[in-house]
Amino acid sequence: MALFKSLFSFQVVLFCFWIFVMYLFGDPLFRLIFKNNFPFFPYTFVLMLSLCVSMLNGFYFIYLQNKSEVKKYSLYFIVNILLTPILQVLCIKVFKLGFLWFLLSPLCANAFVFLVILFNNRLLFKIEYSKPVIKEALKFSLPFIPFLVLYNLENQLDRFFIEKFLSLEDLARYSVLLGISSAVFMLFNSLDNAIRPELFAILSKKTEDFELLIQKKIDFYLLTGLVSLSFLAAFGTNIHWFLNHPKYNGISLYFPLIVLAFLPLILLRFWALILSYENKINKINYFTACKIVLMTILFYFSVPMLKINGALITIGISNLLNVYIFYKIIDTRVLPSRKIYCYTALFIFLNSMMLFLNKPALVSLIAIIQFSIFVLIFLMMYQKELRKTITTIKNNLI
């Protein structure tokens, strides 16, 4: 509880600090970096406030997981996930409100969940500091700060070069692509929180079969990723059935490439959990800085030549390099099983085939078949675990 209160207090203070900095320097910074005049108020302020409240909710979700409060966690998480799209549909489709309300919808959803949590946990959310806890937390987290700065810089390079060399229409298409794709990785944020306590327990005990136990976790994580990316490919190549709007025209062609570019990121996320446990995050800062230089060069040449495809190819190369770097740094070098290698090879083959086909109808059909295949594989491999999970949830809800 002391750790939670300290993290809550630190997050509130940090948010106030960044709001003050962005208030003073935000507008000149945006004018320097971006072509468009994107003011700090109200858009950036709303985004930052929404992110802050979302992180506070996320701290509480982790707190519930560590206490094995399955019922509360499931309820809060489902409400938090569903409320945002419901509010956005109401604001944009029903009430025909502007873009600001599209940004305000996740803020309202997160704020509602936070207020419900706060009302039921008044003693937990307090501005309170524990010096020993803060000292230990800073000792663990300070090496992450340079990495987070470099990581966020790396994630902004693609948009910078697309805005520099391509049209605003291309930038809008690329933003829509990443926006749709990022929805898949919301699942993995929850999956990370769910498996982290058990994974860290396995790593701390290091019994005789700990490598086998970790391999099972990797297999589950990667197969979940294959199912999620297959869904993304199926949704993206059939996007005209769901989102019939001129700004989405033509983006379906990019989805086979985008899922291939993001495929290494699944394994990378799992190894990042191991890396955080081993507290070796500071060792990758040098490699990340070198990789940013390489990516800058690749973006500089690939984006003008290949446009959005060039950006996606560069991201794929970056993710592959990250996988190699993480594997070399971590001590627990456990690889997936042969079955997962075979399923991954099948995934790469099907998406590569879709990438080079010039028949959109056939590509859409293959993407749907691929999604069906991987769902079937997942259900066959984990039917027992799914039954146990459903039974546990039912028992906790009764």
Side-chain angles (χ1 to χ4, degrees), residues 113-317:
V113 174
F114 177 74
L115 289 174
V116 173
I117 294 171
L118 181 62
F119 180 78
N120 291 289
N121 301 273
R122 295 178 183 178
L123 297 177
L124 193 59
F125 289 87
K126 283 188 174 182
I127 303 297
E128 184 177 301
Y129 291 95
S130 171
K131 290 184 179 180
V133 170
I134 292 176
K135 184 178 179 180
E136 187 65 26
L138 286 174
K139 183 180 178 181
F140 178 79
S141 61
L142 281 177
F144 285 83
I145 295 176
F147 169 73
L148 290 175
V149 172
L150 292 171
Y151 179 77
N152 283 286
L153 175 62
E154 179 184 350
N155 285 340
Q156 297 303 317
L157 285 176
D158 51 350
R159 294 175 180 84
F160 173 79
F161 282 100
I162 285 177
E163 186 172 3
K164 180 178 178 63
F165 290 115
L166 304 184
S167 64
L168 290 178
E169 183 180 353
D170 288 324
L171 178 61
R173 287 183 177 181
Y174 187 73
S175 299
V176 170
L177 271 172
L178 292 188
I180 295 172
S181 303
S182 64
V184 171
F185 292 97
M186 290 176 63
L187 167 67
F188 285 92
N189 292 334
S190 303
L191 188 59
D192 289 347
N193 293 335
I195 71 170
R196 185 184 289 108
E198 189 175 353
L199 176 64
F200 284 9
I202 295 171
L203 290 169
S204 63
K205 293 176 182 177
K206 287 196 175 181
T207 57
E208 293 182 359
D209 60 342
F210 92 99
E211 290 189 356
L212 180 61
L213 294 173
I214 292 176
Q215 187 182 71
K216 289 181 179 179
K217 295 292 181 186
I218 294 178
D219 288 354
F220 174 77
Y221 202 90
L222 286 178
L223 191 54
T224 303
L226 294 176
V227 173
S228 302
L229 292 178
S230 296
F231 170 77
L232 178 61
F235 176 82
T237 53
N238 292 277
I239 197 170
H240 56 281
W241 294 106
F242 306 97
L243 302 170
N244 190 15
H245 194 280
K247 70 178 180 180
Y248 298 108
N249 291 340
I251 69 171
S252 61
L253 301 175
Y254 297 106
F255 279 93
L257 180 57
I258 205 169
V259 297
L260 288 174
F262 284 160
L263 178 60
L265 190 58
I266 306 300
L267 183 59
L268 181 66
R269 289 180 66 108
F270 188 88
W271 281 344
L273 292 174
I274 297 177
L275 192 70
S276 64
Y277 172 81
E278 295 178 353
N279 200 16
K280 291 187 174 182
I281 201 76
N282 58 330
K283 290 190 176 182
I284 69 171
N285 290 334
Y286 170 78
F287 296 102
T288 304
C290 295
K291 188 163 63 65
I292 286 175
V293 175
L294 174 62
M295 286 185 64
T296 301
I297 297 171
L298 290 175
F299 276 126
Y300 185 83
F301 290 101
S302 66
V303 171
M305 292 174 58
L306 302 173
K307 297 187 177 180
I308 292 177
N309 284 333
L312 295 177
I313 290 170
T314 303
I315 289 173
I317 293 172

Side-chain angles (χ1 to χ4, degrees), residues 226-232 234 366-376:
L226 294 176
V227 173
S228 302
L229 292 178
S230 296
F231 170 77
L232 178 61
I366 294 173
I368 293 172
I369 293 172
Q370 174 185 255
F371 176 60
S372 303
I373 289 172
F374 281 101
V375 168
L376 183 61

